Amino acid sequence: SAILPAVVNRSLSSVTPPHYRRVTGSPWRPATTRRGIRYAFPDAGMVVVGIAEVGEIAKVGELAAESAYLRDFSYLDDSRRGGGSRRPYSERMQAGDFPRAAIIAGRLDVVPHTGSTNADLLAAVAGEPDAYPHLSVLVTDDQRAGRGRLDRTWTAPPGAALAISVLLRVPSIPTEQRGWVSLIAGAAMTRALRGQFAPDAADGGSRVGLKWPNDVLIDGAKVCGILSQMLPGEPDAIVVGAGVNTRMTPGQLPVPTATSLAIVGADVDPDRLLADYLQGLRRMLAAAVSAEGGVGVRAEVRELCATLGSEVRVMLPDERTLEGRATGLDDAGRLIVAVGGESVPVAAGDVIHVR
Protein backbone atom coordinates (compact mmCIF):
# COMPACT_ATOMS: atom_id res chain seq x y z
CA SER A 1 0.00 0.00 0.00
CA ALA A 2 1.11 3.58 -0.62
CA ILE A 3 2.54 5.56 2.29
CA LEU A 4 1.62 9.22 2.21
CA PRO A 5 2.89 12.06 4.41
CA ALA A 6 0.40 14.37 6.06
CA VAL A 7 1.25 17.37 8.19
CA VAL A 8 -1.02 18.09 11.16
CA ASN A 9 -1.03 21.45 12.94
CA ARG A 10 0.07 20.93 16.56
CA SER A 11 -2.40 23.53 17.74
CA LEU A 12 -5.42 21.57 16.57
CA SER A 13 -7.35 19.58 19.16
CA SER A 14 -9.28 17.86 16.39
CA VAL A 15 -9.30 17.84 12.63
CA THR A 16 -12.07 17.11 10.20
CA PRO A 17 -11.89 15.84 7.49
CA PRO A 18 -9.66 12.75 7.38
CA HIS A 19 -9.36 12.57 3.58
CA TYR A 20 -6.19 13.64 1.77
CA ARG A 21 -6.80 13.78 -1.96
CA ARG A 22 -4.19 13.67 -4.74
CA VAL A 23 -4.22 16.74 -6.95
CA THR A 24 -2.12 16.54 -10.11
CA GLY A 25 1.17 18.35 -9.73
CA SER A 26 0.67 19.16 -6.05
CA PRO A 27 1.36 17.48 -2.73
CA TRP A 28 -1.33 15.72 -0.73
CA ARG A 29 -3.66 18.25 0.77
CA PRO A 30 -6.79 18.18 2.91
CA ALA A 31 -10.10 18.05 1.06
CA THR A 32 -13.54 18.64 2.48
CA THR A 33 -15.69 15.62 3.30
CA ARG A 34 -19.10 14.97 4.81
CA ARG A 35 -17.86 11.90 6.72
CA GLY A 36 -17.19 13.91 9.86
CA ILE A 37 -14.81 11.43 11.49
CA ARG A 38 -13.14 13.19 14.42
CA TYR A 39 -9.43 12.76 15.13
CA ALA A 40 -7.64 14.28 18.11
CA PHE A 41 -3.93 15.07 17.95
CA PRO A 42 -2.73 16.56 21.23
CA ASP A 43 0.93 16.55 20.15
CA ALA A 44 1.37 15.33 16.59
CA GLY A 45 3.75 16.72 14.00
CA MET A 46 4.35 14.71 10.84
CA VAL A 47 1.94 11.79 10.57
CA VAL A 48 2.55 8.89 8.21
CA VAL A 49 -0.66 7.55 6.74
CA GLY A 50 -1.04 4.15 5.08
CA ILE A 51 -3.90 3.35 2.75
CA ALA A 52 -5.50 0.12 3.91
CA GLU A 53 -6.83 -2.36 1.41
CA VAL A 54 -10.59 -2.54 1.79
CA GLY A 55 -13.31 -4.87 0.63
CA GLU A 56 -15.92 -5.35 -2.02
CA ILE A 57 -18.40 -2.57 -1.31
CA ALA A 58 -19.20 -0.80 -4.57
CA LYS A 59 -16.81 2.09 -5.29
CA VAL A 60 -14.81 1.47 -2.13
CA GLY A 61 -11.67 0.63 -4.12
CA GLU A 62 -11.81 3.94 -5.98
CA LEU A 63 -12.42 5.87 -2.77
CA ALA A 64 -9.61 4.08 -0.94
CA ALA A 65 -7.23 4.95 -3.76
CA GLU A 66 -7.77 8.63 -3.09
CA SER A 67 -8.40 8.62 0.65
CA ALA A 68 -6.36 8.02 3.77
CA TYR A 69 -7.79 7.43 7.20
CA LEU A 70 -5.68 8.93 9.96
CA ARG A 71 -5.39 6.98 13.18
CA ASP A 72 -6.38 8.64 16.39
CA PHE A 73 -3.39 9.58 18.53
CA SER A 74 -5.38 10.86 21.50
CA TYR A 75 -5.62 7.61 23.44
CA LEU A 76 -2.09 7.42 24.82
CA ASP A 77 -3.22 7.67 28.46
CA ASP A 78 -6.48 5.83 28.91
CA SER A 79 -6.16 4.00 32.22
CA ARG A 80 -9.37 3.32 34.09
CA ARG A 81 -9.99 5.27 37.24
CA GLY A 82 -9.45 3.13 40.24
CA GLY A 83 -6.30 1.44 39.00
CA GLY A 84 -7.81 -1.11 36.60
CA SER A 85 -5.65 -2.57 33.87
CA ARG A 86 -5.50 -0.74 30.58
CA ARG A 87 -4.97 -2.13 27.13
CA PRO A 88 -1.79 -1.32 25.24
CA TYR A 89 -2.24 1.64 22.90
CA SER A 90 -1.62 -0.57 19.87
CA GLU A 91 -4.63 -2.75 20.75
CA ARG A 92 -7.21 0.01 21.17
CA MET A 93 -9.93 0.63 18.64
CA GLN A 94 -9.12 3.57 16.40
CA ALA A 95 -10.83 5.39 13.55
CA GLY A 96 -8.50 3.89 10.96
CA ASP A 97 -9.84 0.44 11.82
CA PHE A 98 -13.10 1.15 9.95
CA PRO A 99 -12.38 2.01 6.30
CA ARG A 100 -15.36 0.06 4.94
CA ALA A 101 -17.81 1.46 7.49
CA ALA A 102 -16.58 5.02 6.90
CA ILE A 103 -17.68 4.79 3.27
CA ILE A 104 -21.28 4.08 4.28
CA ALA A 105 -21.73 6.06 7.50
CA GLY A 106 -23.15 9.56 7.31
CA ARG A 107 -20.63 10.33 10.03
CA LEU A 108 -18.38 8.03 12.03
CA ASP A 109 -17.06 8.76 15.51
CA VAL A 110 -14.78 6.16 17.12
CA VAL A 111 -14.01 6.60 20.82
CA PRO A 112 -11.62 4.58 23.02
CA HIS A 113 -14.22 4.25 25.77
CA THR A 114 -17.46 5.79 26.95
CA GLY A 115 -20.25 5.30 29.44
CA SER A 116 -23.01 4.75 26.89
CA THR A 117 -22.85 5.23 23.13
CA ASN A 118 -26.62 5.74 22.97
CA ALA A 119 -26.57 8.43 25.65
CA ASP A 120 -23.62 10.17 24.02
CA LEU A 121 -25.13 10.14 20.53
CA LEU A 122 -28.53 11.32 21.74
CA ALA A 123 -26.90 14.24 23.55
CA ALA A 124 -24.68 15.11 20.60
CA VAL A 125 -27.55 15.10 18.09
CA ALA A 126 -29.74 17.19 20.40
CA GLY A 127 -26.97 19.76 20.77
CA GLU A 128 -25.90 19.95 17.13
CA PRO A 129 -28.58 18.31 14.93
CA ASP A 130 -27.27 19.54 11.59
CA ALA A 131 -23.89 17.88 12.21
CA TYR A 132 -25.43 14.40 12.39
CA PRO A 133 -27.00 13.12 9.17
CA HIS A 134 -28.78 9.82 8.65
CA LEU A 135 -26.58 6.82 9.54
CA SER A 136 -24.28 8.78 11.84
CA VAL A 137 -22.39 6.28 13.99
CA LEU A 138 -20.70 6.25 17.40
CA VAL A 139 -18.71 3.09 18.16
CA THR A 140 -16.38 1.80 20.86
CA ASP A 141 -15.10 -1.53 22.15
CA ASP A 142 -15.07 -0.30 25.76
CA GLN A 143 -18.52 0.75 26.97
CA ARG A 144 -18.68 1.08 30.73
CA ALA A 145 -22.28 2.05 31.58
CA GLY A 146 -24.43 0.72 28.78
CA ARG A 147 -28.17 0.21 29.23
CA GLY A 148 -30.40 -2.45 27.74
CA ARG A 149 -34.13 -2.91 27.51
CA LEU A 150 -36.11 -2.35 30.72
CA ASP A 151 -33.16 -0.25 31.99
CA ARG A 152 -30.92 -3.26 32.50
CA THR A 153 -27.17 -2.67 32.70
CA TRP A 154 -24.91 -3.82 29.89
CA THR A 155 -21.17 -4.04 30.51
CA ALA A 156 -18.28 -6.00 29.01
CA PRO A 157 -14.51 -6.21 29.48
CA PRO A 158 -12.56 -3.75 27.29
CA GLY A 159 -12.04 -5.14 23.80
CA ALA A 160 -14.50 -8.02 24.29
CA ALA A 161 -17.60 -6.43 22.74
CA LEU A 162 -18.56 -3.81 20.20
CA ALA A 163 -20.99 -1.04 21.21
CA ILE A 164 -22.57 0.63 18.19
CA SER A 165 -25.09 3.47 18.11
CA VAL A 166 -26.58 4.65 14.82
CA LEU A 167 -28.77 7.68 14.16
CA LEU A 168 -31.69 6.85 11.88
CA ARG A 169 -33.65 9.70 10.34
CA VAL A 170 -36.96 8.21 9.20
CA PRO A 171 -39.38 11.03 8.27
CA SER A 172 -40.72 9.05 5.32
CA ILE A 173 -41.77 6.04 7.40
CA PRO A 174 -45.32 6.50 8.74
CA THR A 175 -45.57 6.81 12.51
CA GLU A 176 -47.72 3.69 12.77
CA GLN A 177 -44.96 1.70 11.02
CA ARG A 178 -42.11 2.88 13.27
CA GLY A 179 -42.36 -0.33 15.29
CA TRP A 180 -40.61 -2.02 12.40
CA VAL A 181 -37.50 0.13 12.77
CA SER A 182 -36.11 -1.92 15.67
CA LEU A 183 -37.02 -5.12 13.85
CA ILE A 184 -35.20 -3.86 10.76
CA ALA A 185 -32.15 -3.13 12.90
CA GLY A 186 -32.30 -6.65 14.30
CA ALA A 187 -32.61 -8.13 10.83
CA ALA A 188 -29.72 -6.04 9.51
CA MET A 189 -27.53 -7.17 12.42
CA THR A 190 -28.57 -10.79 11.87
CA ARG A 191 -27.34 -10.63 8.29
CA ALA A 192 -24.16 -8.80 9.34
CA LEU A 193 -23.36 -11.47 11.93
CA ARG A 194 -23.98 -14.21 9.39
CA GLY A 195 -21.27 -12.55 7.32
CA GLN A 196 -18.76 -13.14 10.14
CA PHE A 197 -18.75 -16.86 9.40
CA ALA A 198 -16.30 -18.15 6.81
CA PRO A 199 -17.96 -18.85 3.43
CA ASP A 200 -17.12 -22.55 3.68
CA ALA A 201 -18.48 -22.89 7.25
CA ALA A 202 -21.16 -25.57 7.18
CA ASP A 203 -24.51 -23.95 8.09
CA GLY A 204 -22.61 -21.06 9.71
CA GLY A 205 -25.03 -18.39 8.58
CA SER A 206 -28.16 -20.37 9.40
CA ARG A 207 -27.01 -20.65 13.03
CA VAL A 208 -27.74 -16.91 13.44
CA GLY A 209 -31.32 -15.78 13.95
CA LEU A 210 -33.37 -12.84 15.18
CA LYS A 211 -35.29 -13.22 18.45
CA TRP A 212 -38.26 -10.90 18.61
CA PRO A 213 -38.12 -8.01 19.07
CA ASN A 214 -34.42 -7.29 18.59
CA ASP A 215 -31.96 -9.76 20.08
CA VAL A 216 -29.71 -11.80 17.83
CA LEU A 217 -28.89 -15.41 18.69
CA ILE A 218 -26.24 -17.87 17.59
CA ASP A 219 -27.16 -21.50 18.26
CA GLY A 220 -29.92 -20.19 20.53
CA ALA A 221 -27.58 -18.10 22.72
CA LYS A 222 -27.63 -14.29 22.75
CA VAL A 223 -24.76 -12.60 20.93
CA CYS A 224 -26.30 -9.16 20.42
CA GLY A 225 -28.93 -6.96 22.03
CA ILE A 226 -30.48 -3.84 20.47
CA LEU A 227 -32.08 -0.82 22.13
CA SER A 228 -33.91 1.90 20.16
CA GLN A 229 -34.50 5.35 21.64
CA MET A 230 -36.35 8.26 20.07
CA LEU A 231 -34.65 11.65 20.19
CA PRO A 232 -36.70 13.82 22.61
CA GLY A 233 -38.69 16.41 20.68
CA GLU A 234 -37.74 14.94 17.30
CA PRO A 235 -39.87 11.86 16.55
CA ASP A 236 -38.31 11.38 13.11
CA ALA A 237 -34.89 10.71 14.65
CA ILE A 238 -34.18 7.37 16.34
CA VAL A 239 -30.90 6.22 17.88
CA VAL A 240 -30.45 2.46 17.67
CA GLY A 241 -27.82 0.97 19.96
CA ALA A 242 -26.39 -2.52 19.50
CA GLY A 243 -24.03 -4.43 21.76
CA VAL A 244 -22.24 -7.33 20.07
CA ASN A 245 -20.20 -9.89 22.00
CA THR A 246 -17.17 -10.23 19.77
CA ARG A 247 -14.14 -11.58 21.62
CA MET A 248 -15.65 -12.59 24.97
CA THR A 249 -14.32 -15.79 26.51
CA PRO A 250 -16.66 -18.22 28.29
CA GLY A 251 -15.52 -16.84 31.64
CA GLN A 252 -16.45 -13.28 30.60
CA LEU A 253 -20.03 -13.99 29.54
CA PRO A 254 -22.55 -12.04 31.64
CA VAL A 255 -25.06 -14.93 31.75
CA PRO A 256 -24.96 -18.62 30.81
CA THR A 257 -27.41 -18.01 27.96
CA ALA A 258 -25.01 -15.66 26.14
CA THR A 259 -22.27 -16.37 23.64
CA SER A 260 -19.72 -14.51 21.48
CA LEU A 261 -18.37 -14.65 17.96
CA ALA A 262 -15.05 -15.96 19.28
CA ILE A 263 -16.71 -18.75 21.25
CA VAL A 264 -18.66 -20.06 18.25
CA GLY A 265 -15.61 -19.92 15.98
CA ALA A 266 -16.79 -17.07 13.74
CA ASP A 267 -14.53 -14.40 12.31
CA VAL A 268 -14.16 -11.22 14.33
CA ASP A 269 -13.90 -8.39 11.81
CA PRO A 270 -15.43 -5.26 13.41
CA ASP A 271 -15.07 -3.16 10.26
CA ARG A 272 -16.90 -5.64 8.05
CA LEU A 273 -19.51 -6.23 10.76
CA LEU A 274 -20.26 -2.52 11.06
CA ALA A 275 -20.18 -1.94 7.30
CA ASP A 276 -22.55 -4.86 6.63
CA TYR A 277 -24.87 -3.67 9.40
CA LEU A 278 -24.99 -0.11 8.03
CA GLN A 279 -25.50 -1.33 4.50
CA GLY A 280 -28.41 -3.51 5.66
CA LEU A 281 -29.97 -0.62 7.59
CA ARG A 282 -29.66 1.71 4.62
CA ARG A 283 -31.14 -0.81 2.17
CA MET A 284 -34.07 -1.94 4.31
CA LEU A 285 -35.05 1.51 5.57
CA ALA A 286 -35.00 2.88 2.02
CA ALA A 287 -37.19 0.01 0.84
CA ALA A 288 -39.63 0.40 3.74
CA VAL A 289 -40.69 3.83 2.50
CA SER A 290 -42.77 2.44 -0.38
CA ALA A 291 -45.75 0.13 -0.02
CA GLU A 292 -44.24 -2.57 -2.23
CA GLY A 293 -40.81 -2.27 -0.62
CA GLY A 294 -42.35 -2.38 2.84
CA VAL A 295 -44.01 -5.70 2.05
CA GLY A 296 -40.63 -7.10 1.02
CA VAL A 297 -38.91 -5.80 4.14
CA ARG A 298 -41.53 -7.29 6.43
CA ALA A 299 -41.19 -10.62 4.62
CA GLU A 300 -37.41 -10.49 5.07
CA VAL A 301 -37.72 -9.79 8.79
CA ARG A 302 -40.16 -12.67 9.20
CA GLU A 303 -37.80 -15.00 7.32
CA LEU A 304 -34.90 -14.11 9.65
CA CYS A 305 -36.96 -14.27 12.87
CA ALA A 306 -36.19 -17.49 14.74
CA THR A 307 -39.01 -16.77 17.19
CA LEU A 308 -41.72 -17.51 14.63
CA GLY A 309 -42.84 -21.09 14.87
CA SER A 310 -41.29 -21.53 18.31
CA GLU A 311 -42.94 -22.29 21.60
CA VAL A 312 -42.44 -19.17 23.71
CA ARG A 313 -42.91 -17.75 27.17
CA VAL A 314 -43.53 -14.00 27.13
CA MET A 315 -43.14 -11.88 30.26
CA LEU A 316 -45.25 -8.77 29.74
CA PRO A 317 -44.56 -5.30 31.19
CA ASP A 318 -47.52 -5.70 33.59
CA GLU A 319 -45.84 -8.87 34.97
CA ARG A 320 -48.33 -11.25 33.33
CA THR A 321 -46.89 -14.24 31.48
CA LEU A 322 -48.08 -15.72 28.20
CA GLU A 323 -47.16 -19.19 27.01
CA GLY A 324 -47.92 -20.41 23.54
CA ARG A 325 -46.68 -20.65 19.99
CA ALA A 326 -45.37 -17.61 18.12
CA THR A 327 -47.24 -17.67 14.84
CA GLY A 328 -46.41 -14.39 13.12
CA LEU A 329 -45.91 -10.63 13.12
CA ASP A 330 -48.79 -8.27 12.44
CA ASP A 331 -48.60 -5.15 10.27
CA ALA A 332 -47.39 -3.07 13.25
CA GLY A 333 -44.56 -5.51 14.01
CA ARG A 334 -46.25 -7.00 17.06
CA LEU A 335 -45.63 -10.65 17.87
CA ILE A 336 -48.68 -12.88 17.51
CA VAL A 337 -48.82 -15.65 20.12
CA ALA A 338 -51.37 -18.46 19.90
CA VAL A 339 -52.64 -19.08 23.45
CA GLY A 340 -55.45 -21.57 23.99
CA GLY A 341 -56.92 -21.08 20.55
CA GLU A 342 -56.68 -17.29 20.73
CA SER A 343 -54.19 -15.11 18.84
CA VAL A 344 -52.74 -12.53 21.22
CA PRO A 345 -50.73 -9.56 19.83
CA VAL A 346 -47.71 -8.61 21.95
CA ALA A 347 -46.25 -5.12 21.53
CA ALA A 348 -43.57 -5.39 24.23
CA GLY A 349 -42.20 -8.08 26.49
CA ASP A 350 -39.33 -10.44 27.22
CA VAL A 351 -39.49 -13.55 25.08
CA ILE A 352 -37.97 -16.90 26.04
CA HIS A 353 -37.76 -19.66 23.44
CA VAL A 354 -38.98 -22.76 25.28
CA ARG A 355 -36.79 -25.71 24.44
Side-chain angles (χ1 to χ4, degrees):
S1 61
I3 301 296
L4 314 170
V7 177
V8 179
N9 188 329
R10 287 178 181 271
S11 66
L12 294 179
S13 61
S14 65
V15 291
T16 303
H19 292 57
Y20 284 74
R21 192 179 301 263
R22 170 70 75 182
V23 178
T24 303
S26 69
W28 288 81
R29 69 182 187 185
T32 56
T33 176
R34 68 181 183 84
R35 301 298 174 193
I37 310 174
R38 295 190 182 276
Y39 300 86
F41 300 97
D43 188 21
M46 180 71 72
V47 179
V48 177
V49 179
I51 297 181
E53 186 174 333
V54 290
E56 298 79 18
I57 298 173
K59 300 293 184 182
V60 73
E62 298 172 24
L63 289 168
E66 65 181 16
S67 304
Y69 296 88
L70 303 182
R71 287 192 176 268
D72 191 325
F73 291 89
S74 66
Y75 310 154
L76 296 176
D77 185 11
D78 183 32
S79 55
R80 283 175 179 265
R81 292 181 181 178
S85 62
R86 67 186 180 99
R87 287 180 290 156
Y89 170 65
S90 60
E91 295 178 4
R92 295 179 200 163
M93 180 170 290
Q94 301 173 43
D97 296 331
F98 293 92
R100 294 179 180 92
I103 298 298
I104 304 170
R107 166 179 176 149
L108 177 62
D109 288 289
V110 178
V111 294
H113 63 78
T114 188
S116 164
T117 55
N118 259 30
D120 289 355
L121 188 54
L122 284 165
V125 176
E128 199 177 1
D130 292 342
Y132 291 86
H134 180 56
L135 294 183
S136 290
V137 180
L138 178 62
V139 61
T140 187
D141 64 351
D142 186 1
Q143 179 172 252
R144 302 175 180 180
R147 311 300 296 182
R149 293 179 63 247
L150 305 179
D151 206 34
R152 297 187 179 108
T153 58
W154 189 90
T155 59
L162 200 63
I164 304 164
S165 290
V166 184
L167 173 66
L168 305 179
R169 295 194 178 275
V170 292
S172 299
I173 297 180
T175 302
E176 64 273 14
Q177 297 294 322
R178 299 280 172 87
W180 284 93
V181 172
S182 289
L183 290 165
I184 286 171
M189 182 59 78
T190 298
R191 290 211 179 278
L193 286 165
R194 287 184 175 186
Q196 294 288 291
F197 287 86
D200 57 350
D203 299 322
S206 63
R207 297 164 61 187
V208 186
L210 172 64
K211 188 183 83 167
W212 187 93
N214 43 26
D215 286 344
V216 184
L217 312 179
I218 299 180
D219 299 333
K222 181 174 176 178
V223 71
C224 172
I226 294 174
L227 175 68
S228 299
Q229 295 178 279
M230 189 177 296
L231 187 69
E234 193 174 346
D236 293 339
I238 300 171
V239 169
V240 177
V244 185
N245 299 336
T246 51
R247 296 184 171 91
M248 277 191 189
T249 65
Q252 294 173 328
L253 294 175
V255 292
T257 54
T259 190
S260 74
L261 290 172
I263 289 171
V264 300
D267 295 336
V268 182
D269 183 343
D271 180 34
R272 180 179 177 186
L273 176 65
L274 180 55
D276 287 351
Y277 176 50
L278 293 174
Q279 198 168 34
L281 283 171
R282 182 173 64 181
R283 174 182 61 81
M284 297 177 77
L285 288 170
V289 171
S290 69
E292 182 179 354
V295 170
V297 166
R298 292 192 289 274
E300 183 175 356
V301 172
R302 291 184 177 106
E303 185 269 328
L304 293 169
C305 186
T307 302
L308 301 187
S310 299
E311 296 295 324
V312 298
R313 182 181 302 116
V314 185
M315 286 163 281
L316 301 172
D318 62 5
E319 299 185 355
R320 289 184 300 130
T321 299
L322 291 178
E323 292 195 23
R325 187 175 184 84
T327 59
L329 301 175
D330 69 10
D331 288 344
R334 296 179 300 180
L335 182 69
I336 304 301
V337 181
V339 182
E342 181 183 0
S343 293
V344 180
V346 177
D350 274 354
V351 173
I352 298 174
H353 292 182
V354 180
R355 292 184 172 87

